[in-house]
Structure formats: C-alpha cells, structure tokens
Amino acid sequence: MTKINCDMGESFGIYNAGNDEEIMPLIDVANVACGFHASDPNHMRKTVELAKKYKVKVGAHPSFPDLQGFGRREMKMPKLDLKNMIMYQVGALKAFLDELNMPLNHIKPHGSLYVMASKDEEIARAMKKNTLPEINNMRSNMCSGDITVHLKLRGLPIDIRRLVGTFMIFYCSNHSLEFLY
C-alpha cells in the first residue's frame, strides 16, 4: 500500500507557506516543521490538530537553525550541540502530540541536516544514537531517495531512506543493516 508523505506546518508568524488545510486530508503522513527552518509554536499546534482531525501520522522535521535560509545551509557544530538541537525540536513537537494523545511516528531531517547526515558518519550517528534512545516506538526517516533500509537499533524499527551512492549506503553495509529495496 502506498502512503503519501508531505512536509507540513511551514508557516510562521504572519507568513503563510503552503496550504495545510487543503493538503492534510489527502495525505497519510506529515513531516511537521519544528521551528528552526520554518514554523512556530502556534503553527505547530494548528498542524498537529489538523493531523489529528484527518487521522494523519505525524513525524518531526528538525533542521539546522536557519530560518532565513529555510534550513538549506550547511552548519558545522559539535556532536552534543547537534544532539541538543534535534532533541529540542523533536521535544517541542512531541509536547503538542502528547497533549492530543498522538504518537510521534518518525523523525525526518530537513534540508542540509538530511544531506549532511547522508554524507557524514558523525552526523548520521548523531541522528540515530542521540535521538532515538530518548523516544520509544518511533521511526527515523532520512528521506531523499528511492531506497529504504529497515534496521533494528535498540529494538526499535527505523526506516532510513537515502540516495544511491551516499554515505548512508556505505554506513549501513558496514554495520550489517538489512536493505529493503
């Protein structure tokens, strides 16, 4: 069965981006912006409420703190800063989900965070090791391509989607992770 996934909740302040109210009924899974590349607390709440109304699964869409560049600019930071940045954004979305008794379905990095994780082992490890142990029963999606890898990390199912020829293929191969094409 095909599932339709869409980036949502990218409006912030007085600025509207996208048409979440018309798109939400048409999708199965929403990647909700967590405030660093787009969105804000009011729009996050509204997006989660729409997802609940239409029974859409919700995932966090964290990014580098780059509102002006829409999360598309690369940033270098220490591992602990990266971990804290991701946990902060995911935690903010999780608070809205908890209030509405909804589970966090997945984490899908946005923009340069995704691209860098697909090329840089340290960032890829930070995405998995530093965010997943704190959140139970959730999936982490690193989406940009047509290949999906399913693996188990500390007993949690994790989907990783990535482009052919990226570091993620090398990393998964070297760690005996199963590929499902």
Side-chain angles (χ1 to χ4, degrees):
M1 172 190 250
T2 300
K3 301 251 184 222
I4 298 175
N5 176 288
C6 187
D7 295 352
M8 303 291 282
E10 294 181 332
S11 297
F12 62 95
I14 62 171
Y15 303 101
N16 290 319
N19 193 337
D20 293 356
E21 291 183 27
E22 288 187 26
I23 294 171
M24 194 69 77
L26 306 174
I27 67 173
D28 302 294
V29 181
N31 309 311
V32 178
C34 297
F36 278 29
H37 75 281
S39 200
D40 61 30
N42 295 327
H43 286 94
M44 287 173 69
R45 174 183 293 283
K46 184 176 180 182
T47 305
V48 170
E49 289 170 347
L50 278 172
K52 182 166 182 139
K53 177 179 178 181
Y54 294 106
K55 297 179 173 75
V56 171
K57 293 180 180 180
V58 174
H61 201 32
S63 70
F64 286 118
D66 181 25
L67 194 57
Q68 289 179 325
F70 196 64
R72 304 261 184 238
R73 296 183 281 197
E74 288 191 8
M75 295 185 177
K76 306 284 186 206
M77 59 180 61
K79 286 187 284 187
L80 182 58
D81 290 0
L82 181 64
K83 172 184 176 175
N84 292 341
M85 178 193 74
I86 295 166
M87 287 178 66
Y88 180 90
Q89 292 176 79
V90 172
L93 179 63
K94 183 105 173 57
F96 291 111
L97 291 169
D98 288 350
E99 185 173 284
L100 295 176
N101 295 312
M102 295 176 68
L104 178 65
N105 186 65
H106 64 278
I107 298 174
K108 178 192 172 217
H110 171 81
S112 287
L113 181 59
Y114 168 77
V115 173
M116 290 175 72
S118 72
K119 297 176 184 177
D120 185 304
E121 183 173 2
E122 290 301 314
I123 294 173
R125 286 182 190 207
M127 286 299 306
K128 291 193 297 238
K129 289 184 180 178
N130 292 335
T131 59
L132 294 179
E134 287 84 2
I135 301 167
N136 294 321
N137 301 319
M138 172 232 46
R139 295 183 180 275
S140 176
N141 293 308
M142 301 174 93
C143 304
S144 78
D146 56 349
I147 297 175
T148 300
V149 175
H150 291 273
L151 59 109
K152 296 239 181 230
L153 178 67
R154 299 185 189 205
L156 297 177
I158 303 166
D159 290 344
I160 300 177
R161 295 184 188 137
R162 72 269 181 269
L163 292 171
V164 175
T166 66
F167 171 75
M168 291 306 296
I169 291 176
F170 173 78
Y171 182 82
C172 292
S173 295
N174 286 339
H175 291 85
S176 301
L177 304 176
E178 180 183 0
F179 286 57
L180 297 177
Y181 294 91

